[in-house]
Amino acid sequence: MVSTQSRIRVIPAGLRSELKEAAFNHGYRSENGEADGWLYFRSDISVPGEIGLAVAEGGNVWFLSVGHPGVAAELNAPATVPFPQGMRAAFAFSDQSALRDALHRTYVLSSTLPTLPLHEFEAAVAGLGDTEAERLTRVRIGQDHFRRALLGYWNSRCPLTGISEPELLRASHIVPWAVCESDAERLDVHNGLLLAAHWDAAFDAGLVSFSESGQALFKPHLGAEALIALRHLDLTDVPLTAEHRRYLCWHRRRYSFD
């Protein structure tokens, strides 16, 4: 684990402008002060969470700190200590390109993780009543928000097959919309997988599920043709968080995989 101690100094003007450009180009366009060698930024729209950027003297290590707890837990990057007060984690990168990639992922995660999709959905349906037509409109709007969140979270690619054509991707609820106990569950990005259409159909019908490690599980009565269609690519294990596993536990029990 990299340490920031004795590495961060007053940021030279040239590197300062590069940090500001990196933040601006990845959605963090509101400067939010400076302290102890860190520059702080926020999104100028609704994406939550503050970030901090810093660079080691000489520009050989670049640092990102994040205030969003979900991003801190899910950003796949080398952690560093200590991180600034008020932030949840910090990460170190050997070059600016890796820092920019992490900034992009930070912005995407901040815009898809709970509870932003829920808040956007609630704002969009605030004026709707309780007629049958309005209830259907509410479901359509919610599913549109859910799909956008899943596309962002999974980088517009089925994590199982690698298929990336949007027309072939489906936003698959793990616990179905109608069964969820609240809109928070319905709009929770962890209650979903972005699956290729044939996998979505099989998952929705309970013919396939996923283990705690993200490995595909198949019902034993599936025919040879169906198995060939589902397994015709080299499948990878789906990367799961603890929240994904909680929802998938329901799915496996519902369809008698456990």
Side-chain angles (χ1 to χ4, degrees):
M1 183 175 289
V2 178
S3 174
T4 62
Q5 290 178 326
S6 303
R7 285 178 171 268
I8 297 175
R9 298 287 187 268
V10 176
I11 302 171
L15 296 182
R16 177 186 298 272
S17 64
E18 291 184 32
L19 290 176
K20 289 184 177 182
E21 179 187 17
F24 185 90
N25 288 343
H26 292 87
Y28 294 95
R29 299 178 178 179
S30 294
E31 295 183 37
N32 206 38
E34 177 179 352
D36 300 323
W38 289 89
L39 298 177
Y40 294 98
F41 303 87
R42 286 188 176 274
S43 167
D44 58 0
I45 53 176
S46 60
V47 173
E50 184 180 40
I51 65 161
L53 297 178
V55 59
E57 188 173 18
N60 59 333
V61 184
W62 301 76
F63 299 99
L64 165 67
S65 58
V66 297
H68 191 299
V71 176
E74 294 196 33
L75 188 64
N76 185 20
T80 183
V81 291
F83 46 84
Q85 184 176 4
M87 306 301 269
R88 296 301 186 102
F91 306 90
F93 308 92
S94 59
D95 56 61
Q96 192 178 154
S97 176
L99 171 70
R100 288 175 178 266
D101 289 343
L103 269 171
H104 171 73
R105 186 60 181 161
T106 296
Y107 186 87
V108 169
L109 286 173
S110 297
S111 64
T112 60
L113 291 172
T115 56
L116 182 58
L118 172 63
H119 291 163
E120 292 177 335
F121 165 71
E122 290 174 337
V125 302
L128 293 178
D130 198 37
T131 67
E132 179 65 22
E134 288 170 314
R135 287 195 294 271
L136 291 174
T137 298
R138 181 185 178 91
V139 171
R140 177 184 57 77
I141 291 172
Q143 291 177 340
D144 286 346
H145 278 75
F146 186 68
R147 176 177 171 83
R148 284 198 296 273
L150 282 185
L151 284 167
Y153 185 89
W154 294 105
N155 292 318
S156 296
R157 182 179 298 274
C158 171
L160 187 68
T161 65
I163 290 173
S164 60
E165 287 77 7
E167 299 82 0
L168 298 177
L169 296 175
R170 302 290 182 268
S172 303
H173 269 93
I174 300 173
V175 178
W177 179 281
V179 179
C180 288
E181 297 181 355
S182 65
D183 287 338
E185 283 192 353
R186 295 181 180 103
L187 275 295
D188 185 351
V189 73
H190 297 116
N191 184 25
L193 300 170
L194 189 69
L195 297 176
H198 61 311
W199 269 93
D200 167 67
F203 183 73
D204 189 54
L207 299 176
V208 298
S209 192
F210 297 94
S211 70
E212 287 282 293
S213 64
Q215 185 178 28
L217 304 173
F218 301 87
K219 280 292 187 180
H221 65 267
L222 273 173
E225 294 82 1
L227 286 172
I228 290 171
L230 292 168
R231 288 174 165 169
H232 79 286
L233 297 171
D234 290 332
L235 302 178
T236 60
D237 292 351
V238 177
L240 302 174
T241 67
E243 288 301 299
H244 288 120
R245 295 186 182 96
R246 179 172 66 85
Y247 287 113
L248 281 167
C249 183
W250 178 94
H251 189 270
R252 291 195 304 272
R253 289 199 307 268
R254 169 68 177 80
Y255 292 105
S256 302
F257 281 90
D258 287 340

